[in-house]
């Protein structure tokens, strides 16, 4: 190889640069979020003291809702609905899942559905945050802005078709959340939580990235399209699969950290405890949604051919999270830590769905994510109110006799807790139901038994809290009667309870939508006017050209369908 | 592809520098010494990049890492005071070092074992899927082309990433004193204990 | 594969594990941050080495993105460290563990 100095006069490539084909409609939800965050910061700094928390909240809610609305036509496109819903010329993009920007970003049922979920979760989190800011007399624009930008990263992760894009999405998501965790300058615990989250988060990101590097060595590309093509065309056996297996293992470790699966969970109780409660609501919902989306994209879609290798690992993680989360939660006396452990246990249930790696598993993952998002935001909204001014009162004693002091608040919390326990007629029941079905479906009945046992343990935990609220006399730390529920937090609570009860009573709409949302990785369309030599033009070799290669997770037969 | 003696010698020297620097980072108690060891490692990696014909990256490595990141870290060390030395004798948590050793040795051992076992089979990947390295065209131009074609989406995401970094710097550099005191609507609330902004004078 | 290629990969693996070990053992947040940089540099080395073996430029481009991520991480990390140190002089020790228990 002849070394070429950077400064030497070398012949320049004379060919035209061919930009990759971009499907702009697919970019709109992302662009709305990114621009929404930037404009919010701009307006806040231009208008100064003339605007406050109400404006920031209004803006965040509108950004989320507009991004949600712009994702609906994408859903129509993917599902091949009547073209009148679409506002662009659909001739270029045939109905069905597609990928864009040179195959870097995929638009399929899975990614669009999760994009919509994230876009809805942001406004609800913003309402909760507005409540605490108003109560504590804070006026900061950074919280809502960081939430919007972080959600941009989450959307990128949901649609990432390239491991590098996935990693960048993960970093956008995580860096913003580190700041959200450390943002409460009044409590030093908040900075400690942020620092702890940051250090361990950077640690896990490095593992994830090392995994990408090894996979790159093993498959020759970081693009999921190329990886699936390569793995479909080459049988990797024995020593030639070493790099891929190691890489996948490291990526699983990195993602398991983000979803806080045991034994990668040690940060989550501390961080949940120290971070501002309204940030925790975001952290527990959107971050988990994005991390599970990334996990599904990497494992189920990208490395589905290695399922026999990664499934046992996920089974172990799931069992440890299910049992460990529920058991350790029993001895907690701090409600935020208790909810942190319970969310570890929830992560175990979602892992059951990922582990199944088929249609049933996909349904389990998506139903659980939708249900859990609203449950956890609602629960932390209640915690943020009971934590009172300064966000410091989170011991179990603060909840004693809450039913007598603030019946509405306690009633709301009771519904959300019962739903987390999986009581029938709440959304949590169906979430757990589908997760267990997914385990049974893949002939891992023992996993289903473990899941149900852990659900029983966790039920005791939630009931303990419910009993403390309704059947115990108020104590010293219980809020005084007439504790103020900020209007915005109230709205968020009503929304969360409404979603919980609606899904619990009529799960049909959700499951029918979820069943139309399989993850896929699709060959990007060929760039037009490709005058570049083949070796510089990229991506599109590997074979298929216009023909699309769809990888659905559906290798295993599905035994359950429809609604129970 | 032949390996010249020069390549071997450069690799050997740089590997020594890189490893020595890395050990220095985790060995020195004084953060300034650790930061200077980090510079050695980063510089060694830059020369290794040159050895691998990644000229642009070598330059960027020196400019961004040693020139910006380490200087930033050194600034903060100076800001916080250099006299803080941590006690490395005492183990903070029982068994923490053992666990750390197991994790670290495990990762390195697995990769090294994989490299040894697989040998020639190791890099089984498709060759030059994204863009092959053209020998007589400058490295910078080839990277530039890839950045603005295949990786343009990733490039746009880094814009969001940097925006967040800027916001983070602004948020985190606010002083505790800039925050309005908590409204005391609830009399039963004792004021949060960690409100004293004692450290403030140090930075004024 | 040339033997020197294996050398790059092994060197990177060792560098990565030194960084991981240091991050888990040291308690000074600034040193922890440096250990993260060590780990990211090991990954960069791996990327470039694989890119060279594959004759593929993607490895080098990826390293550029990792550089950006590393810079952003350092800014956020230092920001949090400074914010914490302001509340608590000499807080470079292991105050992260205040939350434990």
């Amino acid at each position: 190889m002849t070394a070429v100095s950077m400064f030497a006069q070398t012949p320049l490539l004379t060919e035209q640069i061919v930009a990759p084909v971009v499907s702009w409609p697919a970019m709109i939800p992302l662009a709305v979020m990114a621009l929404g965050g930037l404009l919010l910061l701009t307006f806040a700094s231009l208008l100064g003291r003339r605007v406050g928390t109400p404006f920031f909240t209004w803006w965040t809610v509108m950004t989320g809702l507009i991004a949600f609305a712009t994702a609906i036509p994408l859903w129509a496109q993917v599902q091949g609905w009547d073209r009148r819903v679409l506002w662009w010329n659909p001739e270029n993009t045939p109905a069905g899942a597609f990928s864009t920007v040179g195959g870097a970003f995929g638009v399929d049922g899975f990614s669009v559905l999760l994009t919509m979920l994230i876009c809805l979760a942001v406004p609800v989190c913003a309402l909760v945050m507005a409540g605490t800011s108003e109560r504590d007399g804070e006026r900061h624009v950074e919280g809502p802005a960081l939430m919007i930008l972080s959600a941009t990263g989450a959307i990128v992760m949901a649609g990432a078709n390239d491991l590098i894009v996935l990693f960048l999405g993960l970093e956008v998501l995580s860096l913003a959340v580190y700041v959200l965790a450390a943002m409460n300058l009044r409590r030093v615990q908040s900075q400690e939580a942020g620092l702890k989250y940051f250090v361990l988060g950077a640690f896990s990101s490095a593992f994830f990235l090392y995994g990408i590097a090894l996979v790159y060595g093993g498959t020759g590309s970081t693009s999921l399209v190329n990886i699936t093509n390569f793995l479909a065309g080459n049988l990797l056996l024995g020593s030639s699969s070493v790099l891929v297996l190691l890489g996948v293992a490291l990526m699983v470790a990195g993602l398991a950290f983000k979803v806080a699966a045991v034994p990668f969970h040690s940060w989550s109780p501390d961080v949940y405890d120290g971070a501002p409660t309204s940030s925790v609501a975001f952290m527990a919902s959107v971050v988990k949604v994005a991390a599970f989306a990334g996990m599904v994209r990497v494992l189920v879609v990208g490395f589905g051919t290695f399922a026999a290798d990664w499934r046992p690992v996920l089974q172990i993680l799931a069992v440890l999270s299910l049992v460990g989360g529920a058991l350790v939660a029993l001895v907690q006396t701090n409600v935020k830590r208790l909810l942190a452990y319970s969310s570890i246990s929830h992560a175990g249930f979602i892992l059951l769905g990922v582990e199944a790696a088929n249609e049933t598993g996909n349904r389990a993952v998506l139903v659980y994510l939708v249900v859990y998002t609203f449950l956890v935001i609602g629960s932390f909204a209640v915690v943020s109110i009971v934590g009172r001014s300064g966000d410091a009162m989170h011991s179990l004693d603060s909840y004693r006799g809450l039913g007598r002091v603030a019946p509405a608040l306690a009633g709301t919390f009771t519904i959300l807790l019962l739903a987390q326990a999986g009581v029938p007629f709440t959304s949590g029941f169906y979430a757990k139901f589908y997760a267990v079905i997914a385990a049974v479906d893949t002939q891992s009945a023992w996993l289903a038994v473990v899941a149900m046992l852990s659900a029983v343990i966790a039920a005791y935990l939630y009931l303990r809290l419910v009993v403390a609220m309704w059947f115990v006399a108020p104590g010293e730390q219980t809020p005084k009667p007439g504790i103020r529920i900020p209007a915005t937090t109230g709205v968020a609570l009503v929304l969360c309870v409404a979603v919980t009860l609606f899904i619990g009573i009529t799960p049909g709409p959700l499951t029918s939508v979820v069943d139309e949302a399989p993850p896929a990785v699709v060959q990007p369309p060929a760039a037009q006017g490709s005058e570049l030599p083949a070796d510089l033009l990229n991506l599109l070799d590997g074979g298929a050209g216009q023909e699309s290669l769809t990888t659905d997770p559906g290798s295993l037969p599905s035994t359950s369908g429809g609604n129970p | 592809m032949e390996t010249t003696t020069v390549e071997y010698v450069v690799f050997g020297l740089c590997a020594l520098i890189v490893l020595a620097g890395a050990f220095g980072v985790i060995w020195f108690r004084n953060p300034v010494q650790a930061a200077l060891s980090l510079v050695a490692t980063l510089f060694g990696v830059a020369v290794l990049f040159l050895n691998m014909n990644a000229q642009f990256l070598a330059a960027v490595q020196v400019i961004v890492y040693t020139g910006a990141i380490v200087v930033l870290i050194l600034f903060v060390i100076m800001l916080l005071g250099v006299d803080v030395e941590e006690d490395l004798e005492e183990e903070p948590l029982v068994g923490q070092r053992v666990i750390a050793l197991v994790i670290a040795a495990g990762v390195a051992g697995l990769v090294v074992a994989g490299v040894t076992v697989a040998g020639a089979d190791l890099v089984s990947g498709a060759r030059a899927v994204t863009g092959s390295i053209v020998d007589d065209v400058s490295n910078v131009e080839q990277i530039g082309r890839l950045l603005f074609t295949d990786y343009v989406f990733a490039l746009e995401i880094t814009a969001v990433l940097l925006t967040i970094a800027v916001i983070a710097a602004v948020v985190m550099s606010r002083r505790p004193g800039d925050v309005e005191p908590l409204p005391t609507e609830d009399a039963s609330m004792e004021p949060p204990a960690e409100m004293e902004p004692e450290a403030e004078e140090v930075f004024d | 594969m040339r033997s020197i290629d294996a050398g790059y990969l092994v060197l990177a693996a060792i560098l990565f594990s030194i960084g991981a070990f240091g991050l888990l053992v040291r308690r000074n947040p600034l040193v922890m941050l440096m250990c993260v940089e060590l780990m990211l540099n090991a990954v960069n080395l791996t990327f470039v080495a694989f890119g060279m073996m594959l004759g593929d430029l993607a490895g080098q481009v990826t390293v550029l993105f990792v550089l950006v991520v590393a810079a952003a991480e350092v800014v956020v990390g230092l920001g949090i460290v400074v914010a914490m140190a302001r509340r608590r002089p000499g807080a470079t020790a292991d105050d992260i563990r205040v939350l434990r228990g």
Side-chain angles (χ1 to χ4, degrees), chain A residues 40-64:
Chain A
L40 173 58
L41 287 170
T42 315
F43 285 135
S45 53
L46 285 181
L47 297 174
R49 286 270 154 193
R50 270 166 286 180
V51 289
T53 307
F55 172 75
F56 306 149
T57 311
W58 175 82
W59 182 276
T60 313
V61 170
M62 288 317 286
T63 306

Side-chain angles (χ1 to χ4, degrees), chain A residues 408-467:
Chain A
L409 193 63
T412 310
F413 202 26
T414 306
I415 293 174
L416 294 169
L417 287 175
L418 291 180
Q420 290 205 44
V423 170
F425 302 112
T426 60
S427 58
F429 173 73
Y430 290 103
K432 288 201 161 57
F433 176 79
Y434 285 120
V436 170
I437 289 287
V440 172
D441 190 39
T442 53
Q443 271 86 44
S444 11
W446 64 280
L447 270 180
V449 172
V450 171
M452 286 191 271
L453 278 179
S454 103
V456 172
I457 303 173
Y460 169 73
L461 170 89
Y462 301 120
L463 284 180
R464 195 171 61 136
L465 205 52
V466 171
V467 167

Side-chain angles (χ1 to χ4, degrees), chain C residues 43-84:
Chain C
V43 175
N44 286 351
L45 210 51
T46 314
F47 266 119
V48 177
F50 277 135
M52 181 182 61
M53 291 180 221
L54 296 163
D56 189 25
L57 209 58
Q60 296 190 21
V61 178
T62 305
V63 172
L64 276 181
F65 291 117
V66 179
L67 272 168
V68 176
V69 168
E73 268 189 358
V74 164
V75 169
V76 174
L78 289 180
I80 298 175
V81 170
V82 169
M84 207 173 96

